[in-house]
Amino acid sequence: MGRPRLALVPGEPAGVGPELCVSALQHDCGADITVFGDRAALLRAAHLLDLPLSLDGSGPGNARLVEIPHPQVAAFGTPVPANAASVIAALRMASDACQRGELDGMVTGPVHKAAINAGGIAYSGTTGLLADWAGRDVVMMLANEVLRVALVTTHLPLREVADAITPQALERTLGILHASLQQDFGIARPRIAVLGLNPHAGEDGHLGLEEIEVITPLLERLRGQGMRLSGPLPADTAFLPAKLREVDAVLAMYHDQGLPVLKHSGFEQAVNLTLGLPWPRVAVDHGTALDLAGTGQASPSSLMAAMATCARLAATRRRTGTMETPA
């Protein structure tokens, strides 16, 4: 069967992405790596870090390269909008290679949204792009060694969240999360803790009706179909260690309900997964860190965790025969 084959996309060339890639490639993540990016940016990072880098092989310190040159050399810490198209092209070419079945998964470094938009490309996030390109509904889930937290809504103003918590949105999210826990993590009967929207999960309607009118009826229906769901649970106690030991994932209603807890429990090892794609995609859980670019001080721990996680997910899909093949 061989080792999984992963795409690695460094992201914004003026940020820490190239440095993190060079550092992470010094370690064997359990997969063969193909980097989609600019050779000069990677070699500059290797020179800065005084680390070996070969772009024509595999193994520690080595990777294959699909070169997507950046039209301008970006100074460390200063994104160049003219490079926006090449940054997006790297993502698209890596995605296409996975879609064709040439690679088994995709790991992405941090991208600078403002620079891409300044370059004339409407961009709100890589997750949305990958979903559009693959024609799939997706769910964002962050994970570390302690817990997994998926989100019903992602980057919404808080005043819009309640209207977005609909039976359809909940059912779609839970369906994707449940299938991914089976397909990617090899959990035959996943246990999912579902948080309420309101404080104390609405306190029997005294603090909001969303739990009574939307969340509880949907959970009861899905339980009737065989899903192992607990909730809706008060968010302030759902993350107690004893309760987390009883579940495989937590579903939060909105971004800041679940992610602060996860990041507090282990930010350096946290990764961002896109569930629902035909192949695993894992990203770092941090930004471009422009202030650290060029200093050699950025930690590759999140990227290393993302690569190792993606390798495990791809291997699980291969082993269980759930790796999707191109049509």
Side-chain angles (χ1 to χ4, degrees):
M1 186 176 295
R3 286 155 59 94
R5 306 157 300 168
L6 303 183
L8 174 60
V9 184
E12 169 55 50
V16 296
E19 296 167 57
L20 300 183
C21 288
V22 171
S23 295
L25 287 171
Q26 307 305 310
H27 307 270
D28 188 353
C29 70
D32 294 334
I33 305 298
T34 299
V35 181
F36 290 73
D38 181 85
R39 180 184 297 270
L42 292 163
L43 293 176
R44 178 177 70 162
H47 178 74
L48 169 75
L49 298 170
D50 194 23
L51 290 174
L53 179 68
S54 172
L55 295 172
D56 57 4
S58 61
N62 296 271
R64 287 177 288 272
L65 177 70
V66 174
E67 184 159 18
I68 300 114
H70 300 306
Q72 291 190 25
V73 177
F76 289 120
T78 307
V80 177
N83 290 334
S86 57
V87 171
I88 296 300
L91 293 169
R92 183 63 194 252
M93 292 177 69
S95 172
D96 288 347
C98 292
Q99 195 75 15
R100 293 192 298 267
E102 298 168 2
L103 298 175
D104 303 314
M106 180 176 175
V107 179
T108 58
V111 172
H112 197 275
K113 293 182 182 180
I116 293 176
N117 282 280
I121 299 174
Y123 173 85
S124 59
T126 300
T127 297
L129 281 183
L130 296 176
D132 289 343
W133 292 339
R136 294 294 183 91
D137 287 330
V138 300
V139 169
M140 179 187 293
M141 182 174 82
L142 274 74
N144 59 20
E145 296 177 355
V146 178
L147 74 156
R148 308 179 183 105
V149 178
L151 303 175
V152 180
T153 64
T154 52
H155 301 127
L156 276 183
L158 196 55
R159 66 174 62 250
E160 298 179 14
V161 169
D163 290 339
I165 304 300
T166 64
Q168 295 78 14
L170 274 174
E171 184 169 11
R172 178 189 67 84
T173 303
L174 280 165
I176 293 171
L177 174 58
H178 186 271
S180 180
L181 290 170
Q182 293 178 316
Q183 183 177 38
D184 292 322
F185 293 90
I187 302 170
R189 298 189 64 213
R191 301 165 301 171
I192 301 171
V194 181
L195 304 184
L197 173 65
N198 297 293
H200 301 175
E203 205 166 279
D204 296 325
H206 295 290
L207 296 176
L209 297 175
E210 286 81 6
E211 287 77 13
I212 293 174
E213 295 179 349
V214 178
I215 302 174
T216 297
L218 189 278
L219 297 186
E220 290 178 348
R221 181 162 64 82
L222 294 181
R223 288 189 194 104
Q225 298 174 11
M227 284 195 188
R228 301 172 73 188
L229 307 172
S230 57
L233 303 173
D236 59 349
T237 56
F239 292 100
L240 295 176
K243 293 191 175 183
L244 289 178
R245 286 193 290 269
E246 299 174 353
V247 299
D248 301 301
V250 176
L251 180 64
M253 294 295 118
Y254 57 94
H255 187 281
D256 282 11
Q257 185 184 50
L259 299 194
V261 180
L262 180 135
K263 295 186 180 187
H264 176 73
S265 69
F267 178 68
E268 292 294 330
Q269 289 75 41
V271 298
N272 184 335
L273 297 92
T274 303
L275 311 182
L277 292 172
W279 29 266
R281 180 258 178 158
V282 187
V284 296
D285 184 29
H286 60 72
T288 53
L290 298 177
D291 57 327
L292 290 179
T295 68
Q297 298 177 8
S299 170
S301 57
S302 182
L303 182 60
M304 291 172 61
M307 293 168 66
T309 299
C310 197
R312 289 195 300 271
L313 301 187
T316 298
R317 288 201 185 196
R318 283 182 161 198
R319 185 177 64 253
T320 58
T322 55
M323 182 71 74
E324 295 189 38
T325 56

